[in-house]
Amino acid sequence: MSRGPAPAEHPGNGSTAAADRVLTLPNLISFVRLLGVPLFLWLFLVVRADVIAVVVLAVGGTSDWVDGWIARRMRQVSRLGELLDPLADRLYILATLLAFTAREVVPWQFTAALLARELLLLGSLGVLRRHGYGPPPVHYVGKTATFLLLAAFPLLLLADAAPGAATAAGAIGWGLAWWGLVLYWVAGAMYVVQARRLVREMRARRAGATA
């Protein structure tokens, strides 16, 4: 399990100028990835340019690891980047799911299962906020699930748009998608357990202070 989330107020012990930077290469990549979300929706739902939409989705999804790798490599890790990276991942997943469901590329049951996990996580984040904690750090299980889902979506779209590739792309895409869904829920359960532990520790400290 990764370490617990930092308090929401971000105490100054260990705050650095690098952590407060906004104009960094990793943050720029994250911003570009965010712009790819409405571009994909426009191409897929309005223009119906499925081939270009596949390219945009593939680039946005497979570049998930790039901003984090550059941030660590160039020592440009920032608080903004720690928020932008998972935000871009979540928006890609949600936007793609809703668009795919609208055009019947994926069944609504699959979309509902992923959305239910997001609601579970939002509830846990709300509980942490009430007790003075910020969002928990991204766990490797969650990152793996996100990678699998973002790799599956272009293949599922390719299977739908190109009948000649439907068999191979569909089989690989759904294999990745189902594994991604399972790990997505495993990561969600881990975040809930972590949140409950932190809340119990906070309550125990408060009870000890008032005793």
Side-chain angles (χ1 to χ4, degrees):
M1 177 70 69
S2 57
R3 63 179 178 84
E9 58 268 16
H10 295 297
N13 59 335
S15 174
T16 64
D20 295 326
R21 292 178 64 186
V22 174
L23 298 177
T24 65
L25 180 57
N27 289 350
L28 178 61
I29 294 174
S30 294
F31 278 122
V32 172
R33 291 186 68 222
L34 285 172
L35 292 176
V37 174
L39 176 60
F40 163 74
L41 291 175
W42 178 72
L43 290 170
F44 187 64
L45 294 177
V46 180
V47 183
R48 298 293 182 103
D50 290 354
V51 175
I52 304 177
V54 168
V55 174
V56 172
L57 190 58
V59 171
T62 55
S63 62
D64 169 44
W65 61 275
V66 175
D67 48 2
W69 182 84
I70 292 177
R72 293 186 296 271
R73 187 79 172 181
M74 301 179 64
R75 297 185 179 180
Q76 292 184 348
V77 176
S78 65
R79 294 191 184 97
L80 178 61
E82 291 174 347
L83 295 175
L84 285 178
D85 184 39
L87 175 63
D89 293 342
R90 190 157 284 114
L91 285 178
Y92 263 102
I93 290 174
L94 293 179
T96 304
L97 276 175
L98 294 176
F100 278 16
T101 304
R103 285 190 49 183
E104 299 183 347
V105 177
V106 299
W108 66 266
Q109 294 91 339
F110 187 87
T111 301
L114 279 175
L115 292 180
R117 187 269 192 186
E118 291 298 319
L119 292 176
L120 176 68
L121 189 58
L122 283 176
S124 299
L125 291 177
V127 171
L128 287 174
R129 283 291 184 186
R130 286 200 299 271
H131 289 81
Y133 287 99
V138 179
H139 197 276
Y140 73 92
V141 176
K143 292 295 292 182
T144 302
T146 299
F147 174 79
L148 290 174
L149 290 171
L150 292 178
F153 291 152
L155 291 171
L156 294 178
L157 180 53
L158 179 63
D160 184 73
T167 301
I172 298 173
W174 277 115
L176 294 173
W178 284 113
W179 271 110
L181 176 62
V182 171
L183 290 182
Y184 215 52
W185 269 98
V186 170
M190 295 172 71
Y191 288 136
V192 170
V193 170
Q194 185 179 16
R196 290 183 60 183
R197 176 176 57 81
L198 290 168
V199 170
R200 287 177 179 174
E201 291 176 356
M202 176 65 73
R203 288 174 176 172
R205 287 196 297 267
R206 289 175 178 173
T210 57

